[in-house]
Amino acid sequence: ATAAERALAQQWVLFANATLATALFVPSSREREFPRLMTVLDRLLEGGKPLAGQHWGVADCAVQAYLAYLPIFFPQIELSPWPNVQATIAATQARPAYRTVMGLA
């Protein structure tokens, strides 16, 4: 947990809450920004690697929380162009903590 690692994690949290959230929940941004963001995220999520550091952490939690909303709030969005995003959503939904919070456990 160096200052650089903390800064990177904070950048991902800011990305999730400002950029990704806007791309999901603002219709005009969803049309414009969503495909671009998903393409970049799909590349970064390849192989199930964490977004920052060597282990799953706050950056992953922040981004994956929004990604997990996709099938719930936007089932009409076709995610097949982004298989790594799909795999990340499935892995998030399988996490015991997610299942408990969502009342699925």
Side-chain angles (χ1 to χ4, degrees):
T2 66
E5 291 169 332
R6 287 190 303 276
L8 182 58
Q10 290 172 352
Q11 287 175 346
W12 277 112
V13 171
L14 182 60
F15 164 81
N17 291 322
T19 306
L20 186 55
T22 300
L24 290 176
F25 294 110
V26 176
S28 61
S29 292
R30 190 177 322 120
E31 294 171 16
R32 259 189 341 264
E33 294 298 317
F34 181 80
R36 183 180 65 81
L37 293 176
M38 291 301 103
T39 299
V40 172
L41 280 174
D42 196 67
R43 269 187 271 129
L44 293 171
L45 295 170
E46 185 176 8
K49 297 177 289 193
L51 292 169
Q54 299 300 315
H55 304 285
W56 197 90
V58 68
D60 304 288
C61 183
V63 171
Q64 291 176 25
Y66 282 105
L67 293 179
Y69 288 144
L70 285 169
I72 297 168
F73 293 115
F74 306 104
Q76 75 281 8
I77 294 178
E78 178 57 49
L79 295 174
S80 62
W82 308 291
N84 297 313
V85 169
Q86 284 183 303
T88 298
I89 292 169
T92 299
Q93 291 174 333
R95 293 179 77 84
Y98 176 90
R99 298 190 58 73
T100 298
V101 168
M102 298 303 284
L104 302 171

